[in-house]
Amino acid sequence: MLNLKRGFLVFFVIMLMSPHLSLNANSSDRITNEGVDTTTNLTEGTKEHDTRIEPTLMLGQAETTAEQQTSEEPTTAEISKWQPLQTELAPFLNNNEQIVYTQAELKAALAIDNGITTIFFGADIQQLSGGIIVHVNKANIIIDGTNPITGERFTFRDVKSSNQGDTIRITQQPIQLTTIEMRNINLVGDNYYGPIMIVDAAKNITLRHKNIVYNGTQLAFNRYGTLEIEDAAISIGPGYQSQAQEIGEVKEVILRGTNTVSHYPRDGGFALFLETNPNLKVSLINSKTDVITSGMVFRDNGQAAHLFLSEGSEFKIVQDGNHGRAPIRLYKDASITMIDSRLEISRKLETGSSTPLLDGDVDAATSKLTATNSTIALYGNQPTSRALSTVKFIDLTNSRLDITQNKNTSDFILRTNKSVKLANSSQVNLLLVGDSTNTAQAGFYQRGPFTMEDSEFKMEVLGSIRNQILDLDSTDFRNSSMNMLTSGNINNIAPDKFILDTNSMRLDNTKIAVRQTQNAGNAVDATSFTMSNGSEVLIEANAFQGTSLLNLGSPLSIGSGGKIRVFSKTTTNPTANHLKVNGDVVVEDGGLLQVFSEGGAQTNLIQLIGLNRTFSANNPLSVILGGDAITSKLVFGINPIAFTVDAQQATMHTNSGAFTQHNALTQIPIYDFHKDGYTINTVFDGTIAANAGATSIINTNYEATDTLNPDGIFTFSTNTTKLVAYGYLDGLMNEFFVGAQIISGVSPPGSRVELTYYNGGNQYKVNPLVDSSGDFAISTLPLDNTPVAMYIAHNYLNYQTSQAPSIIPVLRFEHTPSLLDFGTQTIRNNTIINRNTGFMVEILDTRAANSNWQLGVRVQVALHSSKNTIDNAFIFKTKAGTTIQLDSIEKNVHTNIQGSMLTAIDYDATEGLLLAIDSGNIYSNEAYNGTIEWVLSDTP
């Protein structure tokens, strides 16, 4: 008889004034209890050492005395007396500082060589005609719109003018000045040249705006200098006449802090920045800048623009309104460089647009997108007549590029004409949501080398298209994945167009998947193709209406661990092929090739182009061929194909109605065909005639065994045979244990897995469909310790396997309570004390289905203190409501009837272990403890 024991210590304390009971349990085998209070009222009849104490001060309270404090509020007259007069402020300023109240005072401070470099506003100031010329001897200048004494913020307003002579301006190269800063100020801009204008002759001057609110037509004119903006709210509009309608004409822009920009010019020909000089650079330095514009970001004038985002920066651009313009435009040597940052560009136009979001100029030599640890997100909501995004070079390191186009496009949504590099967990996600009228190209156009390492590329098309989606040049993918999904109609796709078209493709431990769920077209075309180190290609098509699903212009070799799976449900072109190879096909040991058409209308499922080609399948898990005219599936033309296979299993079916029954796990005849006297490693070398007649036998010295009819003859009849499969359909369950409630594994995509298992002695079956990736995960009830059977059916191939759980049968405590809390309660005579919270005991039993057990409880050490012992203090209330007095003899508190392997007994606060205490038996200021033991026993 099995006995498992687990004890715990019970502990409580009687505190001064009133007894306090504590009970805790720890998570070890001994459960220690402490720290929970109960209170009792002592009477005259208690033991002689009991002390009656008047409750003048409750335990845990602190008596405090508030110290008297007095303060005298100043009178109104005293406040006024303390306030300095305006005429008294000047002595509190530095010698280089001045507060100005009028335009005349501002002009005197700036136009005179007086040593004033910091100017504060004391009132709103209106600029007057004629403006202000900054003295050539001035040092760096700060114009602060906030009074340093009162803290009041003021406004500076331009002159309504398109004359630079009406601005604050620098008219020549200063002797020492390099920076002019406007800060803590409200600006109203009515002048074409902005509040401060710097002529072209004055170069390399920084015009800085910090903590400003600007409403106007142009903030800065500094065509050979830098504009810095920090923590600003900027609103740009058309002004009162033909105004600039831009933030500035500058050589460089630096954005810091948090900025918001609203830009609504008169029409879409205006931009935030006008790069009148080559290589305009806009940098975000730890900045979060939001822009909404009905124009552009960079003016369409043929000059290169560079955008740089540093660590922690976020640049969000939303194009709104009625203008069809591009928020970002790149030319020639233009670039976007990002480090630990985010760039988001979206179009939310009210009318149609024909311009791109990101235009790198098709004819330009270079335009680069370089990102490290960053995210780029582009969103378009209107049709485009040009590529939505064009960049010559893309170089992503641990970065993500997301492009979404919600309308049709007559060009690709991404074009790269030089090179693409994805590395270190980078991702490219392209999404096209077109409609039924879309007749154009879509997706990704790439020229030059395309390398991808430890990265992912995904393209999804939800609308209709008629041309290729991925038009790639030279691809080299390592440890990566590429996924292509279409869920719209691929309407009338041109015969030479493919969903994925590439000049050369090299796969190294890489997975390629092309899935077409509605009206499929040609899937993959590669002029040169190689795969190694467990690479996989998966192609799935519904209503295939093209000419070839997988078209390879070079020989195909599938090495160990490599997989190619090509499936279609229905087809509209009976002459189409699923796999077309210019050269030999070799499936090595450990490789897998599966080609299948459920529609069965194709006359050429696999085509080998050229003379004297060889089809070699050394792995028994190799080939599935399906359709009506099975003898012409493997070859095309008049030339026989050399066919080499190991001993195989063949599944044949002659009833066309069974095509709809395989999901119901219909039993199908299985043939094993081999040479006479076949032994291991014997290989059949023969040929299959091209376009054979009504009946074709593989070889005269080949024999077949029908599992249902041992004397069956293995023949292919073009009139009756619906499917022939070379090879076994195999599935694999991952290792699992008794009690597991998830069983996972792999099986051919689209196969149906039937899993049989037992729970509490009852049999259960589930038969989910395996997803297109070939993975399955089945949720179950807790498993008994019995073999689990898995049965697979897919495309008329059947395979059955079983796997017994690998675990030693066990009965054990899985969980016992770690804390028992009785709270604070009053103890009276013969009081039963409930706990504040419930607790749970869990028992794991992985033995046979008819095994039972019982749970017992006994007192090891009675509840006691240093002065006395309380017998019979512990009681146990079962789930059935029975109260059991606990003592040193084990008492059964629960008997298990075998059901689930994991049994959880949940006791609420009034059940399980409780206390029965008489107030006359306890002492104050004493710690009490005792030991209780759980006992788990198997029953006979």
Side-chain angles (χ1 to χ4, degrees), residues 773-792:
S773 67
D775 298 321
F776 67 85
I778 302 174
S779 298
T780 70
L781 297 171
L783 303 178
D784 290 350
N785 190 27
T786 56
V788 173
M790 183 175 71
Y791 177 87
I792 298 173

Side-chain angles (χ1 to χ4, degrees), residues 171-182:
T171 59
Q172 57 183 311
Q173 186 70 44
I175 296 175
Q176 55 181 328
L177 181 146
T178 59
T179 302
I180 300 180
E181 179 176 324
M182 299 190 80

